[in-house]
Amino acid sequence: MKRLFALFLLVCTAVPAWAAPHSLSMGAPQPVPAVSFADAWGHRVSLDSFKGKVVVLDFWASWCQPCREEFPALDRLQGQLGARGVVVLAVSVDRRGLPAVDKFYSDLRVAHLDKFLDDTQEMATSMGIRGLPTTLVIDRQGLEVARIEGPAAWDSPEMEAVLESMLKP
């Protein structure tokens, strides 16, 4: 099963560099599985611990070119909206673990994102991730309200406006 998932990820991430970034379209709120992932120190982090915030949950890998192209926008988004209640959780599915994440963050000069790992890909599998990058938007109640498969312009004014509107009571 894991080999099939890995092959599927490889095929699905073959997005050409010229492909336009996806826009955010909101759907009916859906519950998300009770999942956890590792932080850079190996501690388990529960997705539930972010309730009350708008979560941009991005699944990525260092070998994924569309992920590399999208990542600076996610970093800027965290820098711009993090203090207002939006949290970007960039979760790597790299099997090479933290060394691959460290190099990726260093190469791209990531300044605002914490490091999270799902190197066993259990979380990605339970959340139905079909390709990389895939990003879920989770509202303050912990419900998935949007999913984008492929890169997106996360720091665009339109995207920021949608996320900011989700912060309103």
Side-chain angles (χ1 to χ4, degrees):
M1 181 70 170
K2 284 187 179 182
R3 282 189 186 149
L4 181 60
F5 178 73
L7 178 61
F8 194 68
L9 278 179
L10 183 60
V11 170
C12 290
T13 58
V15 177
W18 50 264
H22 294 77
S23 61
L24 186 64
S25 60
M26 307 301 278
Q30 301 290 322
V32 295
V35 293
S36 66
F37 43 96
D39 66 15
W41 298 274
H43 301 113
R44 298 305 297 173
V45 179
S46 167
L47 188 55
D48 239 14
S49 65
F50 295 94
K51 274 193 179 168
K53 296 186 180 286
V54 173
V55 175
V56 177
L57 176 61
D58 183 66
F59 289 90
W60 66 279
S62 62
W63 45 262
C64 165
Q65 188 58 39
C67 300
R68 182 173 290 276
E69 293 167 6
E70 173 187 63
F71 219 79
L74 288 165
D75 189 45
R76 287 188 296 272
L77 177 67
Q78 180 64 47
Q80 293 165 351
L81 295 182
R84 291 187 241 163
V86 173
V87 62
V88 178
L89 301 176
V91 179
S92 168
V93 297
D94 271 283
R95 289 194 174 154
R96 293 178 294 142
L98 190 57
V101 173
D102 286 340
K103 181 173 179 353
F104 185 87
Y105 274 51
S106 175
D107 289 350
L108 294 181
R109 295 188 172 109
V110 174
H112 304 288
L113 296 173
D114 290 329
K115 298 172 186 172
F116 298 105
L117 301 124
D118 179 31
D119 55 357
T120 64
Q121 298 169 354
E122 289 177 36
M123 179 182 176
T125 300
S126 71
M127 300 205 75
I129 303 305
R130 302 182 309 172
L132 298 177
T134 294
T135 309
L136 285 65
V137 177
I138 301 170
D139 69 12
R140 293 171 38 183
Q141 290 71 44
L143 300 172
E144 178 183 336
V145 295
R147 179 180 292 230
I148 296 178
E149 295 177 336
W154 289 103
D155 59 345
S156 70
E158 297 80 16
M159 197 73 79
E160 286 184 29
V162 169
L163 294 171
E164 284 180 331
S165 73
M166 293 175 63
L167 293 169
K168 296 177 182 168

